[in-house]
């Protein structure tokens, strides 16, 4: 039996951008169907377990009103449900994990709860339907328009045909693009094409993509004995050393991404190794719960997500390869993470010469998976649409901007800021870590060159391999999804196409006014310079 679903807008992928798109479109009165491959909506923030990477002005500006609602929802959840210390409770900018890399690091289960609560008015009323464990597998086209997308429940095998005037691709890998024949690019572009300082010299490499990381959560209990079974690929990963790495990959040796100088990481706070930031340690880097923020006994030990240099997997791509090869790389990425955990428990060096920290406990309860791993690997780089406008390095790199400001886009639909942060790639290239100026999100980067009723709502907009590095982070992805959802709703209300909205000054002004009225910031304050 094949089911049929019809909505005003179908969102394929329940990523963070997909959630923002669904929230916005439903709030504008549209019926929305959203599919999600895993059990959890929220993408990099939930099923992939990565707490927010944000700009340094995030508490005052630099994100949408709805993203700010989400952040305050996280803080409210902790205040309502956990016994905070008086100092933590009094902090207006509560950071539950007190992480070095995130101003609001938190448990992925809390993020899921807050997202579900934000969407509840629309799921309960039936305006938004979410199909979990569901993956797109085919599309029917009518010229330059998508007529329908066929989806399948990967647990039950149930097939459904979805139809809508607009389809949004909010998958982390841009899965809807090849199914619909939407023109797209992958990997690293050639410098001869983009003229970017850090693009590839020579031919483009479509299979050179940033590492994926299969994250997991641990806490550390001194004196505990929680060593896992030895992973099947442990001996390989234990001896593995990339050409560009200063030591074995499973070690406390690494590099500073911005300079590539060799450094030594500290596991716990108080060491004397790497100093990205004062007091940096791997455990505090992406800590999810700082036990000192909570009443004694609430947490036995600090909880942290392991998304470290040592479990970046770059031995092969999972995009535009056959299913067998994709599964090999997904399995090996997970094996790398399990091997890192086993190495930490059995061989990681102590300052006093001892080896192994068996007190690292794998928190299988966080995701409920048999192996304790996150529900989905952390995806840094997607297929990217060939867009009406492509954002290049020279639009945001301060070396190319003598006035100290990024390129001003007349068709801005949001703002963001993060460095161009590229992890080691499947092309065996090292980190590329560059400064970027506070930037805008141009509407042209959301509009495919041909297909008329598909919009990207995740990391699949018109960026390059280089600029994807600064447009891929949490508040920017949220803004992309929110603007895509608003654009689809606006086009339905006006009977116009996204292309017309961008290219008609009156329509564009009307759309931008709606975005601003909903709390989407379209430009940085004049006083802000990186």
């Amino acid at each position: 039996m094949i089911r049929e679903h019809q909505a005003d807008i179908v969102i394929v992928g329940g990523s963070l951008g997909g959630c923002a798109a669904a929230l916005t479109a439903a709030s504008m009165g549209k019926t929305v169907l959203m599919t999600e491959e895993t059990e959890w909506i929220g993408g990099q923030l939930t099923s992939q377990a990565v707490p927010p990477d944000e700009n340094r002005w995030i508490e005052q500006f630099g994100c949408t009103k709805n993203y700010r609602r989400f952040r305050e929802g996280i803080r409210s959840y902790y205040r309502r449900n956990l016994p905070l210390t008086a100092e933590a409770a009094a902090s207006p900018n509560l950071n539950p994990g007190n992480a070095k890399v995130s101003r609001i690091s938190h448990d992925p289960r809390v993020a899921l709860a807050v997202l579900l609560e934000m969407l509840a008015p629309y799921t309960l009323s039936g305006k938004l339907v979410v199909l979990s464990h569901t993956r797109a597998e085919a599309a029917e086209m009518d010229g330059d328009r998508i007529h329908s997308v066929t989806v399948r429940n990967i647990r039950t095998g149930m097939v459904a045909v979805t139809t809508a005037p607009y389809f949004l691709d909010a998958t982390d890998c841009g899965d809807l693009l090849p199914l619909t024949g939407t023109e797209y690019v992958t990997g690293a572009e050639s410098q001869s094409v983009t003229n970017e300082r850090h693009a590839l010299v020579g031919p483009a490499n479509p299979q050179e993509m940033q590492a994926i990381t299969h994250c997991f959560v641990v806490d550390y209990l001194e004196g505990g004995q929680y060593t896992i079974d030895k992973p099947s690929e442990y001996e390989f990963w234990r001896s593995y050393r990339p050409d560009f790495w200063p030591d074995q990959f499973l070690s406390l040796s690494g590099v500073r991404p911005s300079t590539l100088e060799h450094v030594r990481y500290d596991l716990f706070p108080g060491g004397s190794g790497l100093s990205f930031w004062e007091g940096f340690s791997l455990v505090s880097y992406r800590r999810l719960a700082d036990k000192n923020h909570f009443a004694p006994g609430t947490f036995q030990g600090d909880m942290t997500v392991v998304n470290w240099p040592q479990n970046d997997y770059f031995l092969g791509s999972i995009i535009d390869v056959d299913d067998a090869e994709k599964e090999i790389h997904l399995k090996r990425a997970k094996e790398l993470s399990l091997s890192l955990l086993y190495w930490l428990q059995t061989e990681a060096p102590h300052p006093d010469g001892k080896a192994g920290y068996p007190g690292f406990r794998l928190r299988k309860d966080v995701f409920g998976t048999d192996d304790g791993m996150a529900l989905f690997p952390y995806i840094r780089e997607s297929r990217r649409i060939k867009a009406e406008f492509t954002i290049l390095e020279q639009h945001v790199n301060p070396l190319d901007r003598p006035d100290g400001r990024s390129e001003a886009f007349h068709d801005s639909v949001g703002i963001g800021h993060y460095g161009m942060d590229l992890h080691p790639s499947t092309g065996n290239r090292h980190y590329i870590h560059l400064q970027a100026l506070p930037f805008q999100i141009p509407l042209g980067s959301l509009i495919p060159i041909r297909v008329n009723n598909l919009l990207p709502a995740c990391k699949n907009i018109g960026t390059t391999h280089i600029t994807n590095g600064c447009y891929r982070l949490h508040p920017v992805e949220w803004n992309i999804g929110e603007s895509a959802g608003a654009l689809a709703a606006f086009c339905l209300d006006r009977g116009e196409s996204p292309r017309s909205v961008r290219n008609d000054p009156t329509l564009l002004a009307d759309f931008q006014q709606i975005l601003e009225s909903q709390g989407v910031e379209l430009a940085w304050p004049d006083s802000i310079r990186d």
Side-chain angles (χ1 to χ4, degrees), residues 490 494 496-497 500-502 504-512:
F490 180 84
R494 296 293 187 96
E496 299 285 354
S497 71
S500 297
V501 173
R502 183 189 183 230
D504 182 308
T506 300
L507 286 172
L508 177 61
D510 288 350
F511 178 56
Q512 289 175 318

Side-chain angles (χ1 to χ4, degrees), residues 13-296:
S15 63
L16 191 59
C19 292
L23 177 67
T24 301
S27 72
M28 294 176 69
K30 306 308 171 198
T31 58
V32 180
L33 174 74
M34 182 167 70
T35 67
E36 166 51 33
E37 184 173 344
T38 72
E39 185 177 349
W40 292 3
I41 61 171
Q44 60 176 323
L45 197 59
T46 59
S47 61
Q48 299 173 34
V50 180
D53 288 296
E54 299 171 330
N55 65 73
R56 66 178 181 268
W57 304 283
I58 196 72
E59 302 295 352
Q60 290 79 41
F61 43 77
C63 67
T64 74
K65 180 180 178 180
N66 276 333
Y67 184 75
R68 196 168 303 284
R69 279 180 55 208
F70 166 77
R71 297 177 87 254
E72 290 310 309
I74 294 293
R75 289 169 171 151
S76 174
Y77 186 97
Y78 277 92
R79 289 189 171 104
R80 287 184 286 112
N81 293 294
L82 283 94
L84 297 167
T85 63
E87 182 180 1
S91 172
N93 297 331
L94 171 65
N95 185 351
N98 193 24
K100 279 295 179 184
V101 77
S102 177
R103 290 169 172 81
I104 188 166
S105 185
H106 55 274
D107 193 301
R109 293 170 293 185
V110 176
L112 176 65
V114 173
L115 287 172
L116 290 173
E117 187 172 20
M118 292 178 74
L119 293 171
Y122 311 109
T123 54
L124 295 177
S125 66
K127 288 182 179 178
L128 169 63
V129 174
V130 179
L131 303 180
S132 59
H133 305 294
T134 299
R135 180 188 300 155
E137 63 175 23
E140 181 182 349
M141 301 297 295
D142 181 8
D144 293 337
R145 296 186 63 82
I146 304 171
H147 173 69
S148 65
V149 172
T150 299
V151 300
R152 181 185 296 272
N153 186 300
I154 58 180
R155 286 191 168 179
T156 67
M158 180 67 70
V159 174
V161 176
T162 67
T163 57
Y166 281 93
F167 291 84
L168 274 57
D169 185 340
T171 62
D172 278 282
C173 294
D175 295 335
L176 194 54
L177 304 183
L179 295 179
T180 58
T182 301
E183 291 81 1
Y184 67 90
V185 296
T186 62
E189 293 89 350
S190 170
Q191 195 175 77
S192 65
V193 174
T194 66
N195 292 315
E196 294 173 302
R197 292 172 181 266
H198 293 86
L200 276 179
V201 176
N205 183 357
Q207 279 296 303
E208 178 171 337
M209 299 180 205
Q210 287 195 65
I212 64 173
T213 304
H214 211 125
C215 301
F216 57 95
V217 173
V218 294
D219 55 12
Y220 182 72
L221 308 183
E222 184 67 43
Q225 298 291 327
Y226 301 104
T227 303
I228 63 171
D229 293 338
K230 184 177 179 180
S232 60
E233 287 196 8
Y234 180 69
E235 293 303 329
F236 171 85
W237 290 113
R238 182 176 180 271
S239 62
Y240 177 65
R241 180 176 180 176
D243 296 341
F244 50 76
W245 209 249
D247 198 347
Q248 306 303 111
F249 205 43
L250 298 188
S251 71
L252 295 180
S253 295
V255 301
R256 190 185 305 275
S258 57
T259 63
L260 303 185
E261 65 182 296
H262 296 175
V263 294
R264 182 172 175 81
Y265 305 113
D266 290 319
L267 266 179
F268 300 99
S272 58
L274 178 66
S275 56
F276 284 135
W277 306 280
E278 184 181 354
F280 173 90
S281 76
L282 289 171
V283 166
S284 63
Y285 180 42
R286 294 187 184 275
R287 185 167 47 197
L288 303 178
D290 182 344
K291 67 177 183 179
N292 295 318
H293 275 355
F294 302 88

